[in-house]
Amino acid sequence: MTSINELEILENRIDRLENIVGKFEKIEKTKGLETIDEILNKLSSFSSNYSKIASAFKSINEINKYSSFDAINEIEDELMLQAKIELILSEDEAILKLDRDFQKLKLLKNILDNPILNDIPCLTEKLKEICSKQSSLKDNYDGQKEDLKNFLSFYYKSVIKKRSDKISTKI
């Protein structure tokens, strides 16, 4: 029986509020925000007689402050700005490194655009020719060294033989 009494009390309160504020059908026929504002004004004037309801309405203003579209957009804008700042700062070091690398490339570009360096392919071919000649000279050097050694050995032997023949003829 207690639950039936509580239910009747709640239904009576709802009926009184509907009589003060207006029926639900009125909300559907008008603009929603305007009707909600109108209902809020009527409820706040009604609640001035009841302290608990008045304290609840004070917190409703704070809830509305943070649940309005402007407040949500402002919070989202602040969060988006913070995220962008963090992203930019995290990429700052990478951007600075890329800048240093591009500066080095710019300096190297001036060096590589030097006309002397453009002759490198031609000079490389000449260097290959010189290397092959030097290699053949080295191969010839070993042969010529052996020939010179044989010649000097023969010359030395012949000079010594002539001297020994001269000395032996004198004796």
Side-chain angles (χ1 to χ4, degrees):
M1 213 166 191
T2 312
S3 63
I4 293 175
N5 287 338
E6 289 175 6
L7 186 60
E8 287 177 9
I9 292 170
L10 285 174
E11 286 178 357
N12 288 336
R13 285 184 181 174
I14 291 173
D15 287 338
R16 278 193 327 191
L17 284 173
E18 282 183 346
N19 288 334
I20 293 171
V21 174
K23 299 281 183 191
F24 181 72
E25 291 82 27
K26 181 181 176 186
I27 293 175
E28 290 179 355
K29 292 179 184 174
T30 61
K31 293 182 180 176
L33 290 175
E34 292 173 1
T35 306
I36 290 172
D37 281 340
E38 183 182 321
I39 291 170
L40 183 62
N41 290 334
K42 287 181 181 178
L43 283 174
S44 63
S45 65
F46 172 76
S47 68
S48 61
N49 298 331
Y50 302 98
S51 63
K52 289 184 179 180
I53 295 174
S55 66
F57 273 113
K58 288 179 185 175
S59 63
I60 285 176
N61 288 334
E62 193 168 323
I63 291 171
N64 282 339
K65 176 182 164 186
Y66 291 112
S67 63
S68 72
F69 290 111
D70 292 334
I72 291 172
N73 286 339
E74 186 176 316
I75 291 170
E76 286 178 349
D77 289 345
E78 287 178 21
L79 292 175
M80 184 68 78
L81 181 62
Q82 287 175 349
K84 286 179 181 178
I85 289 171
E86 288 177 16
L87 182 63
I88 288 170
L89 291 178
S90 69
E91 294 294 322
D92 186 45
E93 184 61 35
I95 292 170
L96 289 174
K97 183 184 179 302
L98 285 174
D99 183 53
R100 288 190 298 268
D101 292 344
F102 281 127
Q103 293 299 327
K104 286 180 185 176
L105 286 174
K106 193 173 183 181
L107 291 172
L108 292 174
K109 179 185 173 272
N110 293 336
I111 294 170
L112 293 176
D113 285 343
N114 190 336
I116 295 172
L117 292 178
N118 292 332
D119 292 338
I120 287 178
C122 177
L123 295 174
T124 304
E125 288 299 320
K126 288 181 181 178
L127 181 63
K128 285 181 185 177
E129 291 174 16
I130 291 172
C131 286
S132 68
K133 285 181 183 178
Q134 192 267 342
S135 175
S136 67
L137 287 176
K138 185 178 178 188
D139 292 340
N140 290 339
Y141 168 76
D142 291 334
Q144 289 175 356
K145 180 177 148 185
E146 194 61 39
D147 289 344
L148 182 61
K149 183 180 173 184
N150 291 337
F151 171 76
L152 289 175
S153 159
F154 177 76
Y155 177 77
Y156 181 69
K157 287 178 184 176
S158 67
V159 168
I160 291 182
K161 187 175 179 185
K162 282 184 182 181
R163 282 196 175 180
S164 64
D165 284 345
K166 279 187 184 181
I167 292 178
S168 55
T169 49
K170 283 186 179 181
I171 304 185

